[in-house]
Amino acid sequence: MISMMKQECESRISRLQSVMKEQSINAFLVTQNIDIYYFTGSMQTGYLFIPQSEEPVFFVKRSVARAIEEACVPVLPLGSFRQFAETLAAQFPSVWPLSSAEGSIAPAVIATEYDVLPVQQYERLQAVLPANVTWTDGSLLLRELRMVKSPWEVERIMTAARAAHHAMEQAAAYVRPGMMELELIAHIEYAFRMQGHIGMIRMRGYNQELVTGMVASGEAGAEPTYFDGPAGGRGLTPASPQGSSRKVIAVNEPILVDIGCCIDGYVIDQTRTIVIGKLDDELQQAYEASEAILRAAEERLKPGIVCETLYADALEMARNYGLSDHFMGFGADQVRFLGHGIGMEIDEWPVLARGFRQPLQAGMVIAIEPKFTFPGRGVVGIEDTYLITETGYNRLTTAPGGLISIPAPQ
């Protein structure tokens, strides 16, 4: 695995350096833990400095020993942060802007991740690095680079998909009326952890958090919250206002099981709807609409299709079903997308949303999640994860689709 990871990192760095040359970026300072892991295979604390044409160096604060063991690039101690500019200048004399007898050398253009780098840390970097450095936002570059997955990455996502399949089977066999949502999600989390789930789902979005997903039943599933998704769940407390709660699961109500699993750093996203007994006619129709929207999206999943058109088609179908007001949330809490990229973070690019004119490319991995929210009654829907191929798609989620109906106890 180490040799494969080294090949992966070398390929990723090479792709990044090619774009850096095209955009006249002298170096990329990688600061976020996921991006550092993407290029090095290690998630120790520090900064990865990638020059345009030389070998990168991972400057590590802690733990240097572990980074040396894990990383696929050279590792050096970060040392004094105040001396970071001198450290970089000594290591990369051809990149770093220094004064000379003839005058000042042209400033280096340094890219970094504006989308996730805290302002305070950015200002500290500005203070210790030379004033004539030209900083530029490299977050778009990295997000586009990470959109396309290698076969090695897809294998990891498929491993997580198999774990999600198993966990869904466990949930369907275990659920019963009278148990709390909390008990069912705990059962799912145990099944996940025993298969290697790291216990968290990473997100890039500011102030967005996710652990394993949620079990949300009846009216609790339809309660709005800050989470940027079509269903938030009641949660256990206002200190964590999303996901599963202590609500008791009842018969004849939708039970939304929206779960993610992260193995080897890569995530799968999957949703299924369970009912103990029977849904009422309106909820049943809405569930069937979600399946129909997903199938229609599948028919168009291939390279070249523009992302926003898939969302527009889904909106039109929801209108035709008379369910526009309930599609992907309700009222002011509706979200404006149909699906999202997935990889090491659950909110990667591309996004199936208005304004996202990126055409699909082979190697993209996308979760598509048509859902309908009914305040006071619940949420129904389905979600699968797909790999875009040269000719179409492969569904990576392996759990059977369809409404999971469990006979109500007599």
Side-chain angles (χ1 to χ4, degrees), residues 32-334:
Q32 191 231 26
N33 59 353
I34 302 299
D35 292 334
I36 287 173
Y37 178 78
Y38 181 76
F39 290 112
T40 72
S42 178
M43 204 180 287
Q44 301 305 305
T45 303
Y47 300 95
L48 174 65
F49 192 82
I50 304 177
Q52 189 186 96
S53 56
E54 299 174 56
E55 187 174 39
V57 173
F58 186 16
F59 296 95
V60 177
K61 179 180 179 181
R62 179 175 179 177
S63 157
V64 176
R66 182 144 181 189
I68 290 171
E69 178 183 335
E70 296 172 339
C72 302
V73 301
V75 172
L76 290 175
L78 177 62
S80 169
F81 186 72
R82 292 181 181 179
Q83 302 299 314
F84 192 30
E86 288 80 357
T87 302
L88 289 171
Q91 192 69 33
F92 301 101
S94 64
V95 174
W96 212 243
L98 297 174
S99 295
S100 67
E102 293 77 25
S104 178
I105 297 174
V109 177
I110 308 295
T112 193
E113 312 113 314
Y114 284 13
D115 63 331
V116 289
L117 180 62
V119 172
Q120 183 184 63
Q121 192 64 20
Y122 176 58
E123 290 180 344
R124 288 188 68 204
L125 287 165
Q126 285 182 309
V128 299
L129 270 55
N132 64 341
V133 165
T134 298
W135 290 90
T136 190
D137 185 7
S139 54
L140 176 66
L141 193 164
L142 283 197
R143 297 201 75 169
E144 289 183 341
L145 188 74
R146 284 178 47 190
M147 281 194 307
V148 178
K149 274 64 178 181
S150 70
W152 187 88
E153 291 180 286
V154 173
E155 284 180 13
R156 261 111 219 110
I157 298 171
M158 291 174 67
T159 299
R162 289 190 290 270
H165 185 163
H166 173 72
M168 194 65 236
E169 290 178 336
Q170 293 283 304
Y174 187 73
V175 66
R176 64 186 186 277
M179 68 163 42
M180 292 187 297
E181 295 171 347
L182 180 61
E183 184 178 350
L184 184 55
I185 193 64
H187 188 74
I188 291 169
E189 287 174 345
Y190 178 79
F192 271 154
R193 291 289 272 168
M194 293 305 292
Q195 295 177 89
H197 173 45
I198 67 172
M200 67 177 79
I201 305 294
R202 293 189 168 101
M203 296 191 69
R204 200 172 188 90
Y206 179 65
N207 274 350
Q208 292 293 299
E209 300 170 311
L210 197 60
V211 182
T212 299
M214 70 170 179
V215 167
S217 61
E219 70 275 9
E223 290 189 15
T225 188
Y226 77 100
F227 182 72
D228 190 19
R234 179 176 296 166
L236 294 173
T237 165
S240 181
Q242 64 164 310
S244 303
S245 71
R246 291 184 173 85
K247 179 193 172 296
V248 172
I249 293 172
V251 298
N252 301 327
E253 67 178 7
I255 307 164
L256 195 75
V257 182
D258 187 347
I259 51 179
C261 178
C262 183
I263 295 178
D264 260 347
Y266 286 86
V267 179
I268 194 73
D269 203 0
Q270 169 188 287
T271 300
R272 296 294 183 265
T273 302
I274 300 175
V275 61
I276 304 170
K278 185 180 179 181
L279 295 177
D280 66 40
D281 290 345
E282 187 176 25
L283 291 175
Q284 179 67 37
Q285 181 201 23
Y287 179 79
E288 291 170 1
S290 71
E291 288 263 12
I293 290 170
L294 187 64
R295 300 287 91 83
E298 287 177 347
E299 291 179 2
R300 299 197 63 203
L301 283 183
K302 60 183 179 181
I305 296 297
V306 176
C307 291
E308 69 175 358
T309 64
L310 293 169
Y311 177 59
D313 291 348
L315 286 177
E316 182 64 24
M317 288 188 70
R319 277 193 291 270
N320 292 339
Y321 277 101
L323 293 168
S324 292
D325 292 344
H326 302 272
F327 185 55
M328 302 300 283
F330 185 81
D333 294 300
Q334 285 181 304

